[in-house]
Amino acid sequence: MTQPKPSCHELISSLSDFVNGELEAELCAKIESHIAECPNCRIVVDTLRKTITLYQQTSAQTEMPNEVRSRLFKRLELEDLLK
Ligand SMILES: [Zn+2]
């Protein structure tokens, strides 16, 4: 199976920037179209967004620390995608 689309790996490595609104528009569009077709990545994005929202409510920081990100990805069993 060959797909010209960006891989989950490629997208997931940019997801935290995406949900933080720090990603360039072109990449955002790629991710948007990918998650429209990929339930797994959609779950990851939803979860990241919720986590960030929760985090922002309990902290003055606006960015999710790497530690939280790693823990979240671990829980989602996406560790391999971070490598
Ligand atoms: Zn995907």
Side-chain angles (χ1 to χ4, degrees):
M1 292 219 304
T2 48
Q3 281 189 322
K5 292 178 181 183
S7 66
C8 294
H9 179 125
E10 190 185 325
L11 290 171
I12 281 173
S13 63
S14 307
L15 279 184
S16 63
D17 285 343
F18 174 69
V19 294
N20 280 325
E22 290 169 359
L23 208 59
E24 49 191 291
E26 194 186 323
L27 271 172
C28 283
K30 267 193 197 174
I31 291 180
E32 294 283 6
S33 64
H34 179 85
I35 62 177
E37 296 172 10
C38 180
N40 286 336
C41 288
R42 197 157 55 225
I43 289 166
V44 174
V45 170
D46 282 352
T47 309
L48 272 173
R49 279 184 170 145
K50 276 178 202 150
T51 306
I52 287 168
T53 305
L54 275 178
Y55 192 80
Q56 285 173 342
Q57 283 167 356
T58 56
S59 158
Q61 278 186 261
T62 54
E63 280 185 36
M64 184 165 54
N66 281 338
E67 188 203 332
V68 175
R69 182 168 167 255
S70 312
R71 219 183 303 147
L72 175 68
F73 277 56
K74 203 178 214 170
R75 186 161 346 137
L76 294 170
E77 300 181 343
L78 291 170
E79 266 189 312
D80 289 349
L81 296 170
L82 283 174
K83 285 170 193 164

